[in-house]
Amino acid sequence: MRRLTRTVTTAALALALVSACGSGSDSSDDAKGGDGGALDKVTYLTSFGNYGRDSYVWVAKEKGFFREAGFDVEIKAGQGTGGVIQTVVGGQADFGPIDLTGGLLQLGNGQAKDFVAVAAIQQRTMAGIATLEGKNIASPKDLEGKKLADTPGSVVRNLFPTYARLAGVDASKVTWVNGEAQALIGTLAAGSVDGIGQFVVGQPTIEAVAKKKAVMLPYSNVMQDLYGNVLITSSQIAKEKPEMVKRFTAALLKGLEYSLANPNEAADLLKKNVDATVVASAAAELELMASYVRSDNSAGAAIGTLDSGRVAKSIAVLRGAGALKQNITPEQIIDFSLAPKA
């Protein structure tokens, strides 16, 4: 009898162990990457809310590019260059895109440090002012006497004095008010302001919300050497986990390339995760963004590359306009050892 009891007990324990292993197989798979190793948990900030221009990160997640590279990525909405830098440096996020010119201004004026760029998202800046027909704004000079809205840390706002000087605008005659990233277009549509800081690819979304034709004033019309968004991480992460940074960058850029080739699918995947998405507008943003990601200035370079000479020219433009308090070098803001090679 005792032998029978031991046999039954042993069998029951074995069955329980098998059942436990079987029931946990799905969650175990979810915690593993493409090579079967444990996933690195990473927090990523978008550049500015959740619009079509940022959909590539959702694509990289939904298509499994991050998982294949060994990452479990949490995506949060960013609030512009200043906010993204602050959050990444503060350790609340690991990666995020900022406008490189905005980063240069923050670093060169002592407003931020301890972050590095590791890849380009756009080869030329998409920063600009957006307004609507009927506001009597057709050229930069028309901004004088007008009221504009943007987040305090936005590159559009921080770069405006330099843009104004180069475009012949008296910046003191332009009034800026604060706004939240996701509310800016609604503020413009409601008529509360005359214009907003906005990436120029936002035109389809603005027109969908406002039901009016948008008028865009791109900064690149007067500042042609400036890069657009770049991917940043903290200096500490770049130093301590360089291979992890390279893996993440490659997966993100794979999502970017896929999004540009499949804008409608990318927009659908954004809608799946962000219910407020207007699919047609998000897809149109990606179609407009393609020429900025693969700019003529990049001379056929691979997606994500950064050129030290071009960054030096950007610094020179900002220094010449009196926008930088101290001189900086490209190597102070970009880790070229981690950036994709041309």
Side-chain angles (χ1 to χ4, degrees):
M1 178 65 70
R2 282 196 296 270
R3 284 198 300 272
L4 177 61
T5 301
R6 285 197 298 270
T7 301
V8 171
T9 302
T10 301
L13 287 172
L15 179 61
L17 181 60
V18 169
S19 298
C21 291
S23 65
S25 61
D26 289 341
S27 60
S28 176
D29 288 344
D30 288 343
K32 293 180 180 179
D35 61 356
L39 296 174
D40 293 323
K41 292 186 178 297
V42 165
T43 299
Y44 176 95
L45 294 178
T46 66
S47 65
F48 196 76
N50 277 301
Y51 296 105
R53 71 204 73 159
D54 273 300
S55 60
Y56 56 89
V57 67
W58 293 106
V59 169
K61 183 171 183 175
E62 289 288 337
K63 300 298 289 185
F65 301 156
F66 284 140
R67 183 169 296 280
E68 290 169 4
F71 294 101
D72 176 11
V73 180
E74 180 183 10
I75 303 169
K76 296 182 178 181
Q79 289 287 323
T81 292
V84 171
I85 292 174
Q86 183 179 7
T87 307
V88 168
V89 171
Q92 290 82 45
D94 303 288
F95 296 94
I98 67 165
D99 188 278
L100 180 57
T101 306
L104 290 170
L105 291 172
Q106 294 255 323
L107 182 64
N109 292 321
Q111 297 168 321
K113 59 179 182 177
D114 298 329
F115 68 95
V116 291
V118 295
I121 304 298
Q122 295 106 23
Q123 292 290 326
R124 57 192 175 102
T125 184
M126 300 195 304
I129 305 294
T131 183
L132 298 171
E133 276 193 342
K135 294 289 187 180
N136 298 318
I137 301 175
S139 69
K141 190 70 175 175
D142 297 331
L143 294 172
E144 294 180 359
K146 301 299 195 296
K147 182 166 68 172
L148 309 178
D150 204 348
T151 58
S154 165
V155 65
V156 175
R157 188 165 176 176
N158 290 332
L159 188 54
F160 183 76
T162 303
Y163 168 74
R165 180 175 300 186
L166 296 174
V169 178
D170 186 345
S172 68
K173 295 181 179 180
V174 180
T175 301
W176 285 92
V177 297
N178 294 337
E180 291 293 320
Q182 293 290 143
L184 286 175
I185 294 176
T187 301
L188 176 63
S192 303
V193 295
D194 300 299
I196 57 174
Q198 191 72 198
F199 282 173
V200 294
V201 296
Q203 182 173 350
T205 303
I206 293 169
E207 293 177 344
V209 173
K211 310 302 181 186
K212 292 182 180 179
K213 184 173 177 57
V215 177
M216 312 300 292
L217 300 177
Y219 282 9
S220 60
N221 285 352
V222 296
M223 295 179 285
Q224 298 179 357
D225 283 322
L226 304 184
Y227 277 94
N229 277 357
V230 294
L231 178 67
I232 68 161
T233 188
S234 68
S235 299
Q236 181 178 358
I237 290 176
K239 180 180 179 180
E240 296 179 357
K241 302 177 180 180
E243 293 307 314
M244 184 270 277
V245 172
K246 289 180 180 180
R247 281 191 291 115
F248 182 87
T249 300
L252 183 70
L253 293 180
K254 188 175 180 180
L256 175 61
E257 194 153 20
Y258 188 95
S259 299
L260 297 180
N262 304 276
N264 293 320
E265 183 182 353
D268 286 336
L269 291 176
L270 178 62
K271 175 69 174 179
K272 177 182 176 181
N273 291 278
V274 182
D275 189 58
T277 300
V278 179
V279 173
S281 299
E285 282 199 10
L286 284 169
E287 291 171 356
L288 288 174
M289 193 172 81
S291 65
Y292 288 84
V293 174
R294 294 186 177 93
S295 169
D296 291 340
N297 288 342
S298 65
I303 284 180
T305 59
L306 288 159
D307 180 77
S308 179
R310 276 191 62 203
V311 178
K313 288 182 181 178
S314 299
I315 294 171
V317 168
L318 298 175
R319 287 281 289 176
L324 292 178
K325 293 180 181 178
Q326 58 189 18
N327 193 23
I328 54 178
T329 66
E331 290 73 21
Q332 285 177 264
I333 196 169
I334 297 170
D335 190 330
F336 289 101
S337 70
L338 299 179
K341 307 304 179 188

